[in-house]
């Protein structure tokens, strides 16, 4: 692959022409060309222009034309427009403008053109961009910039509200600490205490100019010190009085945002930011490596220099996504790196290809029952059966505690404080493993250990006997047997009822939740009132680190919480008001970050009373909870009455930035609140709340056992093996699925040995439980009697790692493994001790490549928290170079377009799939992910990440609905359908007999996603942020 690269870019030629042009016509032509280029391109093009000196060239043109005694505004106005447009994307525009002298020049030009609204607005736009840097805003303020801008108010309050909008933004950005400004702020603060009385005439100029006055209260001490309480009371009173008055919208929003920004930073009520779960890592001493020790004693009163640095870092981080993240080096994209290990080490993975060594000739002579026994003989191949060579790579650093016997398990005593289970006669349902085992005969014990035993002479028997066995591929006894072997960091001894009992999707559709107008504002005001009121209860009712508070005495009117079970996550619960609770999530084990996933039990509720729950340490800057998503709820009482369902639940849901900060270190860390209200139906109930439908490691192990038991071994070759042990000593399952040869003929055996491989993986991020439900749909479909499944088994060999991060899933983590690393960023050089599942998955893929069986498809199932629908990320050299604005001539590149085949097939057959949301860009920040490493190092053309929404869909037949487990499992099935497009005889995909199987109930062939909404969500209807610093954004004011 070879292309020619131009010695200099077109932008550099244009900039040179702009700086050297002497006549107006040439300058205007260059400006028009720049305008067209930037209007037609994306942000990537703007950032590319900046990297080539575009900002400096425009500032130079501004100085050249603006310094003349009589500026030519036919040239100057287009320059100002381009400076404002490009400056919004340049995080260093303020400093560049200061160095060029453009800041003071623009202020002087504004001062001389106050009479001209159009010119004044153009200058204000540029000053607004310059003021984005704290140091530049300080420079503006120290040169009487605020006085110049403030003089615009009486001229433009009524007719030119857009100009006042810009003025407001500039005033707020100019956060200077000079004595003059402090006095200015103080006078405004004194006058503003009478503001509500002056706002009675909504048409008055005072009402129009009040938002700029609000913005001048930049000193938080005016609000948070004792002397400032009257002002805070006035502000709080104002929005409550006019909350529903649309005419006062801009004033209300300004005052609310001002109060949010001026609340003092409050540390989370924890003893440590570190996770409550600590696991000793092999070869490492446990310490707080990810904490910033130097900031332990720091407070929230940082100086401007620190603010400026934080702001620059923030803007640079934002711009990197567009400017530098796409890979533009052709050699990096195309050259295949050397393997990360010698070929001799790859031979150990031959055991993971049992279809190549299995004696199918002997199987064909045996009856199906003997075949079944043979096929499952090494299903439980565990660490103890591995070769010494294999053990040497994974178990050298395994701690002794991971080899201990699993803790006794019991089902939670759901009824000791309620009367739900009338059939149990009030008997406690919990039992230890030893109690249950002691009552079994030898034969019964053997069956139970295999997951088939139901002869329990114990209280558990009553509970299992009333179980509804209509739940496909689920048996409580088998789940419990699998859970006994599961090893957790805290040593869980309790099963969560939904996981033990099972679930079925609710029968009806679940629409996205409507958002009440101003609901976030209402919740924010309630939170602000906490600072002023003294009637807050502030009672800790659950603490994962305090045994006394894990099972506290039941109080008549207080909820009870619990989360010490597999996949559970709730660290602390604090009762704030009678029916309101602050909840704090547990960080990923061994670190202090990654809080999003939650799953906990709640009981002792009062029916028909709205309870407000606030999860106050979320980390993502936005969430689908702002766009119609609801948490899921499971009722034990409903389950025992025949409705074992996780249902979307919750009202008054919103997600916004709060004023909390870490206990120590990282004071700049931003936390967000997820708040929702739940009204429980029953008084005597136990309910579970979760971020998404939970899917545990034990559920996977039980599911695989049931699948193995369900297939016909004479037709389906199903083999479960162990890829490797995890850090905690749990087995990472590895599954092979294909069709058995129909006869003893050499042709049939040879065809099986040469079937191409499809490699699928899932759940590398433990909080993405939706990925496991998609994988469940894939596994069940591939083991079914469906003719398409049979055709796929006869065509391909499926290699499946359904859970790449068992330890993270078990311990209720969101992003990382016990090694505190994101496993999906370790694929370049995975550590065999600290990242065993990634190390051996990559080793297996390398082994396939070494024996010339490179996978035809690799797909890693994920969940996406910021988008709707289901979509694919792939890899393409041409699309990456084109999108990045590279100077390479992509027309000279030849690339196999087959990477789009599966997405096109899914677009035809999968109603949940959005073709428009797919992209095939290779990003530097994701160079160590499975998708890119498998594509680049192993040469897999169709290497994908398949992202599934946590929320729902905005297109097709599911438009406006939240996803259920049914749609997720269906997506796993549809992905299998799409693989038929890769067969030699592609007519099979469109054969009418197969279409009938692929099209139950609706015409999927007519489904298209090309006309769906934009990929990214629009701005939230209410402002999530309140700026990096105390203040507002210009868009916060609505002047219409």
């Amino acid at each position: 692959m070879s292309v020619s690269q131009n010695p200099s870019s077109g932008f550099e030629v244009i900039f040179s022409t702009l700086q050297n042009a002497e006549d107006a016509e040439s300058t205007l032509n260059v400006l028009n060309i720049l305008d067209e280029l930037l209007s037609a391109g994306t942000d990537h093009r703007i950032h590319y222009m900046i990297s080539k000196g575009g900002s400096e060239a425009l500032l130079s043109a501004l100085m050249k034309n603006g310094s003349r005694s009589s500026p030519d505004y036919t040239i100057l106005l287009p320059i100002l427009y381009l400076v404002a447009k490009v400056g919004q994307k340049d995080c260093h525009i303020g400093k560049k403008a200061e160095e060029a002298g453009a800041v003071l020049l623009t202020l002087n030009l504004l001062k001389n053109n106050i009479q001209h609204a159009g010119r004044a607005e153009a200058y204000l736009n540029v000053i607004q961009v310059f003021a984005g840097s704290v140091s530049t805003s300080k420079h503006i303020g120290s040169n009487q910039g605020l006085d110049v801008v403030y003089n615009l108010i009486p001229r433009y309050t009524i007719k030119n509200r857009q100009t006042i909008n810009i003025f407001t933004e500039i005033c707020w950005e100019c956060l200077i600490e000079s004595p003059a400004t402090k006095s200015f702020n103080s006078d405004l603060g004194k006058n503003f205490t009478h503001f509500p009385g002056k706002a009675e005439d909504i048409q008055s100029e005072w009402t129009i100019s009040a938002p700029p006055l609000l913005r001048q209260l930049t000193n938080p001490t005016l609000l948070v010190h004792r002397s400032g309480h009257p002002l805070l009371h006035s502000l709080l009173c104002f929005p409550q009085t006019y909350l529903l008055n649309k005419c006062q919208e801009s004033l209300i929003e300004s005052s609310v945002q001002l109060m949010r920004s001026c609340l003092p930073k409050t540390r989370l009520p924890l003893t440590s930011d570190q996770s409550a779960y600590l696991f000793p890592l092999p070869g490492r001493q446990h310490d707080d490596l990810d904490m910033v020790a130097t900031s332990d004693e720091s407070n929230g009163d940082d100086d401007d220099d620190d603010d400026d640095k934080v702001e620059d870092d923030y803007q640079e981080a934002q711009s990197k996504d567009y400017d530098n993240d796409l890979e533009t080096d052709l050699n990096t994209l195309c050259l295949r790196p050397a393997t990360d290990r010698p070929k001799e080490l790859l031979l150990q993975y031959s055991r993971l290809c049992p279809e190549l060594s299995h004696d199918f000739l002997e199987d064909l002579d045996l009856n199906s029952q003997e075949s079944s026994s043979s096929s499952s003989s090494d299903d439980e191949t565990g660490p103890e059966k591995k070769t010494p060579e294999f053990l040497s790579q994974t178990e050298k650093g395994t701690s002794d505690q991971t080899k201990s016997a699993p803790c006794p398990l019991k089902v939670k005593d759901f009824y000791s404080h309620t009367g739900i289970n009338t059939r149990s006669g009030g008997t406690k349902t919990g039992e230890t493993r030893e109690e249950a085992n002691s009552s079994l005969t030898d034969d019964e014990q053997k069956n139970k250990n295999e997951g088939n035993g139901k002869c329990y002479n114990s209280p558990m028997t009553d509970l299992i006997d009333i179980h509804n066995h209509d739940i496909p591929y689920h048996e409580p006894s088998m789940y419990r047997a699998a859970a006994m072997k599961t090893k957790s960091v805290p040593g869980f001894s309790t099963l969560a009822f939904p996981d033990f009992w099972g679930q079925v999707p609710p029968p009806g559709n679940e629409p996205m939740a409507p958002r009440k107008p101003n609901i976030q504002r209402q919740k924010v005001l309630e939170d602000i009132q906490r600072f002023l009121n003294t009637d807050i209860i502030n009672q800790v009712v659950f603490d994962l680190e305090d045994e006394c508070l894990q099972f506290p005495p039941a109080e008549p009117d207080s909820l009870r919480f619990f989360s010490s079970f597999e996949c559970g996550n709730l660290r602390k619960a604090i009762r704030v008001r009678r029916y309101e609770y602050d909840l704090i999530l547990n960080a990923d084990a061994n670190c202090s970050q990654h809080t999003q996933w939650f799953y906990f039990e709640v009981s002792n509720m009062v029916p028909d009373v709205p309870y407000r729950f606030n999860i106050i340490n979320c980390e993502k800057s936005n969430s689908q909870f702002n766009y119609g998503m609801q948490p899921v709820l499971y009722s034990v009482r409903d389950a025992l009455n025949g409705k074992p369902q996780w249902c979307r639940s919750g009202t008054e849901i919103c997600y916004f930035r709060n004023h909390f900060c870490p206990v120590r270190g990282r004071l700049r860390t931003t936390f967000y609140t997820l708040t929702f209200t739940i009204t429980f139906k029953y008084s005597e109930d136990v309910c579970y709340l979760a971020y998404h439908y939970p899917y545990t490691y034990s559920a996977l192990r039980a599911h695989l056992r049931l699948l193995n038991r369900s297939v016909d071994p004479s037709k389906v070759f199903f083999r479960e093996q162990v890829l490797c042990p995890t850090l905690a000593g749990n087995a990472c399952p590895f599954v092979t699925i294909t069709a058995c040869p129909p006869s003893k003929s050499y042709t049939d055996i040879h065809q099986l040995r040469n079937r191409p491989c499809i490699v699928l993986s899932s759940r590398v991020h433990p909080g993405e439980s939706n990925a496991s439900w998609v994988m469940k749909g894939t596994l069940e479909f591939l083991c079914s009697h469906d003719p398409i499944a049979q055709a796929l088994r006869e065509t391909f060999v499926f290699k499946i790692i359904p859970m790449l991060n068992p330890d993270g899933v078990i311990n209720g983590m969101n992003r990382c493994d016990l090694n505190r690393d994101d496993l999906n960023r370790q694929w370049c050089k995975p550590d065999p001790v600290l990242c065993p599942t990634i190390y051996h998955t990559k080793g297996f893929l390398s082994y396939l490549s070494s024996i010339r069986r490179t996978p035809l498809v690799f797909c890693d199932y994920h969940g996406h928290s910021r988008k709707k629908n289901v979509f694919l990320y792939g890899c393409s050299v041409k699309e990456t170079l084109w999108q990045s604005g590279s100077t390479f001539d992509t027309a000279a590149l030849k690339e196999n377009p087959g990477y789009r085949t599966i997405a096109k097939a899914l677009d035809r057959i999968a109603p949940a799939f959005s073709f428009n949301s797919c992209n095939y860009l290779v990003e530097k920040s994701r160079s160590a992910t499975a998708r890119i490493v498998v594509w680049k190092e192993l040469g897999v053309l169709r290497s994908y990440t398949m992202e599934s929404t946590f929320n729902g869909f905005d297109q097709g037949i599911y438009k406006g609905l939240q996803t259920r487990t049914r749609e997720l499992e269906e997506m796993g099935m549809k992905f299998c359908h799409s693989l038929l497009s890769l067969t030699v005889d592609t007519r099979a995909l469109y054969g009418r007999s197969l279409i009938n199987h692929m099209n139950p109930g609706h015409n999927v062939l007519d489904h298209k996603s090309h006309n769906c909404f934009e990929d990214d969500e629009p701005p939230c209807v209410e402002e999530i942020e309140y700026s990096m610093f105390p203040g507002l954004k210009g868009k916060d004011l609505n002047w219409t």
Side-chain angles (χ1 to χ4, degrees), residues 1001-1025:
H1002 57 272
N1003 190 355
V1004 293
L1005 288 181
D1006 290 339
H1007 166 72
K1008 290 288 183 181
S1009 60
H1010 302 298
N1011 296 321
C1012 70
F1013 295 147
E1014 294 182 60
D1015 294 317
D1016 296 316
E1017 296 288 2
C1020 184
V1021 292
E1022 296 185 82
E1023 190 67 23
I1024 301 169
E1025 297 285 345

Short mmCIF file of all heavy atoms in Angstrom, two decimals, residues 1001-1025:
data_model
loop_
_atom_site.label_atom_id
_atom_site.label_comp_id
_atom_site.label_asym_id
_atom_site.label_seq_id
_atom_site.Cartn_x
_atom_site.Cartn_y
_atom_site.Cartn_z
N GLY A 1001 -43.41 -12.04 12.64
CA GLY A 1001 -44.24 -10.96 13.14
C GLY A 1001 -44.08 -9.63 12.49
O GLY A 1001 -44.91 -8.76 12.67
N HIS A 1002 -43.01 -9.36 11.74
CA HIS A 1002 -42.88 -8.08 11.08
C HIS A 1002 -41.93 -8.21 9.91
O HIS A 1002 -41.12 -9.13 9.84
CB HIS A 1002 -42.36 -7.01 12.05
CG HIS A 1002 -41.06 -7.35 12.68
ND1 HIS A 1002 -40.96 -8.08 13.83
CD2 HIS A 1002 -39.79 -7.09 12.29
CE1 HIS A 1002 -39.70 -8.24 14.16
NE2 HIS A 1002 -38.96 -7.65 13.23
N ASN A 1003 -42.04 -7.31 8.98
CA ASN A 1003 -41.25 -7.37 7.76
C ASN A 1003 -39.88 -6.76 7.99
O ASN A 1003 -39.67 -5.58 7.75
CB ASN A 1003 -41.98 -6.63 6.62
CG ASN A 1003 -41.31 -6.88 5.28
OD1 ASN A 1003 -40.27 -7.53 5.20
ND2 ASN A 1003 -41.93 -6.39 4.23
N VAL A 1004 -38.95 -7.56 8.46
CA VAL A 1004 -37.63 -7.03 8.79
C VAL A 1004 -36.87 -6.57 7.57
O VAL A 1004 -35.99 -5.73 7.67
CB VAL A 1004 -36.80 -8.08 9.56
CG1 VAL A 1004 -37.40 -8.34 10.90
CG2 VAL A 1004 -36.72 -9.38 8.76
N LEU A 1005 -37.22 -7.10 6.40
CA LEU A 1005 -36.49 -6.70 5.20
C LEU A 1005 -36.76 -5.25 4.85
O LEU A 1005 -35.98 -4.62 4.13
CB LEU A 1005 -36.85 -7.60 4.03
CG LEU A 1005 -36.28 -9.02 4.10
CD1 LEU A 1005 -36.69 -9.80 2.87
CD2 LEU A 1005 -34.77 -8.99 4.22
N ASP A 1006 -37.87 -4.71 5.33
CA ASP A 1006 -38.18 -3.31 5.07
C ASP A 1006 -37.54 -2.38 6.09
O ASP A 1006 -37.63 -1.17 5.96
CB ASP A 1006 -39.70 -3.09 5.08
CG ASP A 1006 -40.36 -3.74 3.88
OD1 ASP A 1006 -39.63 -4.00 2.90
OD2 ASP A 1006 -41.56 -4.00 3.94
N HIS A 1007 -36.92 -2.96 7.11
CA HIS A 1007 -36.35 -2.12 8.17
C HIS A 1007 -35.08 -1.44 7.69
O HIS A 1007 -34.19 -2.07 7.13
CB HIS A 1007 -36.02 -2.96 9.40
CG HIS A 1007 -35.14 -2.25 10.36
ND1 HIS A 1007 -35.58 -1.21 11.13
CD2 HIS A 1007 -33.82 -2.41 10.65
CE1 HIS A 1007 -34.57 -0.76 11.86
NE2 HIS A 1007 -33.50 -1.48 11.59
N LYS A 1008 -34.99 -0.14 7.86
CA LYS A 1008 -33.80 0.63 7.55
C LYS A 1008 -33.53 1.60 8.69
O LYS A 1008 -34.45 2.14 9.28
CB LYS A 1008 -33.97 1.42 6.24
CG LYS A 1008 -34.01 0.54 4.99
CD LYS A 1008 -32.63 -0.02 4.69
CE LYS A 1008 -32.63 -0.85 3.42
NZ LYS A 1008 -31.32 -1.42 3.12
N SER A 1009 -32.28 1.83 8.95
CA SER A 1009 -31.93 2.79 10.00
C SER A 1009 -31.27 4.03 9.43
O SER A 1009 -30.76 4.85 10.15
CB SER A 1009 -31.01 2.13 11.02
OG SER A 1009 -29.82 1.70 10.41
N HIS A 1010 -31.28 4.17 8.10
CA HIS A 1010 -30.56 5.29 7.49
C HIS A 1010 -31.21 6.63 7.80
O HIS A 1010 -30.56 7.65 7.72
CB HIS A 1010 -30.48 5.10 5.97
CG HIS A 1010 -29.81 3.82 5.57
ND1 HIS A 1010 -28.51 3.53 5.89
CD2 HIS A 1010 -30.29 2.73 4.92
CE1 HIS A 1010 -28.19 2.34 5.41
NE2 HIS A 1010 -29.25 1.83 4.83
N ASN A 1011 -32.49 6.62 8.12
CA ASN A 1011 -33.18 7.89 8.38
C ASN A 1011 -33.44 8.09 9.86
O ASN A 1011 -34.34 8.83 10.24
CB ASN A 1011 -34.52 7.92 7.62
CG ASN A 1011 -34.32 7.88 6.12
OD1 ASN A 1011 -33.40 8.52 5.61
ND2 ASN A 1011 -35.16 7.13 5.42
N CYS A 1012 -32.66 7.44 10.70
CA CYS A 1012 -32.88 7.58 12.14
C CYS A 1012 -32.32 8.91 12.62
O CYS A 1012 -31.72 9.67 11.88
CB CYS A 1012 -32.23 6.42 12.90
SG CYS A 1012 -30.44 6.47 12.89
N PHE A 1013 -32.54 9.20 13.89
CA PHE A 1013 -32.08 10.45 14.47
C PHE A 1013 -30.55 10.48 14.52
O PHE A 1013 -29.87 9.52 14.20
CB PHE A 1013 -32.64 10.61 15.88
CG PHE A 1013 -34.12 10.74 15.92
CD1 PHE A 1013 -34.84 10.24 16.98
CD2 PHE A 1013 -34.82 11.35 14.88
CE1 PHE A 1013 -36.21 10.35 17.03
CE2 PHE A 1013 -36.18 11.48 14.91
CZ PHE A 1013 -36.89 10.97 15.99
N GLU A 1014 -30.03 11.60 14.98
CA GLU A 1014 -28.58 11.72 15.11
C GLU A 1014 -28.05 10.68 16.09
O GLU A 1014 -28.74 10.25 17.00
CB GLU A 1014 -28.22 13.12 15.63
CG GLU A 1014 -28.56 14.23 14.65
CD GLU A 1014 -28.13 15.57 15.21
OE1 GLU A 1014 -26.94 15.76 15.46
OE2 GLU A 1014 -29.01 16.42 15.38
N ASP A 1015 -26.80 10.29 15.87
CA ASP A 1015 -26.20 9.26 16.72
C ASP A 1015 -26.12 9.71 18.17
O ASP A 1015 -26.43 8.97 19.09
CB ASP A 1015 -24.79 8.93 16.22
CG ASP A 1015 -24.84 8.26 14.85
OD1 ASP A 1015 -25.65 7.43 14.65
OD2 ASP A 1015 -24.07 8.59 13.99
N ASP A 1016 -25.67 10.94 18.38
CA ASP A 1016 -25.49 11.43 19.74
C ASP A 1016 -26.76 12.11 20.22
O ASP A 1016 -27.53 12.66 19.44
CB ASP A 1016 -24.32 12.42 19.80
CG ASP A 1016 -23.00 11.74 19.46
OD1 ASP A 1016 -22.77 10.63 19.96
OD2 ASP A 1016 -22.24 12.32 18.68
N GLU A 1017 -26.94 12.09 21.53
CA GLU A 1017 -28.11 12.71 22.10
C GLU A 1017 -28.02 14.23 21.98
O GLU A 1017 -26.94 14.81 22.04
CB GLU A 1017 -28.25 12.33 23.58
CG GLU A 1017 -28.48 10.85 23.82
CD GLU A 1017 -29.86 10.40 23.41
OE1 GLU A 1017 -30.65 11.23 22.91
OE2 GLU A 1017 -30.16 9.20 23.58
N PRO A 1018 -29.15 14.91 21.81
CA PRO A 1018 -29.13 16.37 21.85
C PRO A 1018 -28.85 16.84 23.27
O PRO A 1018 -28.88 16.04 24.21
CB PRO A 1018 -30.55 16.74 21.42
CG PRO A 1018 -31.39 15.56 21.82
CD PRO A 1018 -30.50 14.36 21.63
N PRO A 1019 -28.55 18.12 23.44
CA PRO A 1019 -28.33 18.62 24.80
C PRO A 1019 -29.54 18.33 25.69
O PRO A 1019 -30.68 18.36 25.24
CB PRO A 1019 -28.13 20.12 24.59
CG PRO A 1019 -27.68 20.26 23.19
CD PRO A 1019 -28.37 19.16 22.42
N CYS A 1020 -29.26 18.04 26.94
CA CYS A 1020 -30.34 17.77 27.87
C CYS A 1020 -31.20 19.02 28.03
O CYS A 1020 -30.72 20.15 27.93
CB CYS A 1020 -29.76 17.35 29.23
SG CYS A 1020 -31.00 16.86 30.44
N VAL A 1021 -32.48 18.82 28.27
CA VAL A 1021 -33.40 19.95 28.37
C VAL A 1021 -33.05 20.85 29.55
O VAL A 1021 -33.43 22.02 29.57
CB VAL A 1021 -34.86 19.46 28.50
CG1 VAL A 1021 -35.33 18.80 27.23
CG2 VAL A 1021 -35.02 18.49 29.68
N GLU A 1022 -32.34 20.32 30.53
CA GLU A 1022 -31.86 21.14 31.64
C GLU A 1022 -30.35 20.98 31.75
O GLU A 1022 -29.79 19.94 31.40
CB GLU A 1022 -32.53 20.72 32.95
CG GLU A 1022 -34.04 20.95 32.95
CD GLU A 1022 -34.67 20.66 34.29
OE1 GLU A 1022 -34.62 21.53 35.17
OE2 GLU A 1022 -35.20 19.56 34.46
N GLU A 1023 -29.69 22.02 32.24
CA GLU A 1023 -28.23 22.05 32.25
C GLU A 1023 -27.68 21.09 33.28
O GLU A 1023 -27.94 21.21 34.48
CB GLU A 1023 -27.75 23.47 32.55
CG GLU A 1023 -26.26 23.66 32.34
CD GLU A 1023 -25.85 23.54 30.89
OE1 GLU A 1023 -26.70 23.75 30.01
OE2 GLU A 1023 -24.67 23.26 30.64
N ILE A 1024 -26.90 20.09 32.81
CA ILE A 1024 -26.30 19.10 33.70
C ILE A 1024 -25.15 19.72 34.48
O ILE A 1024 -25.01 19.51 35.68
CB ILE A 1024 -25.81 17.89 32.89
CG1 ILE A 1024 -26.97 17.26 32.12
CG2 ILE A 1024 -25.15 16.86 33.79
CD1 ILE A 1024 -26.55 16.24 31.10
N GLU A 1025 -24.33 20.49 33.77
CA GLU A 1025 -23.16 21.10 34.37
C GLU A 1025 -23.48 22.49 34.92
O GLU A 1025 -24.54 23.06 34.64
CB GLU A 1025 -22.04 21.22 33.32
CG GLU A 1025 -21.56 19.90 32.77
CD GLU A 1025 -20.69 19.13 33.75
OE1 GLU A 1025 -20.22 19.74 34.72
OE2 GLU A 1025 -20.49 17.93 33.52
#
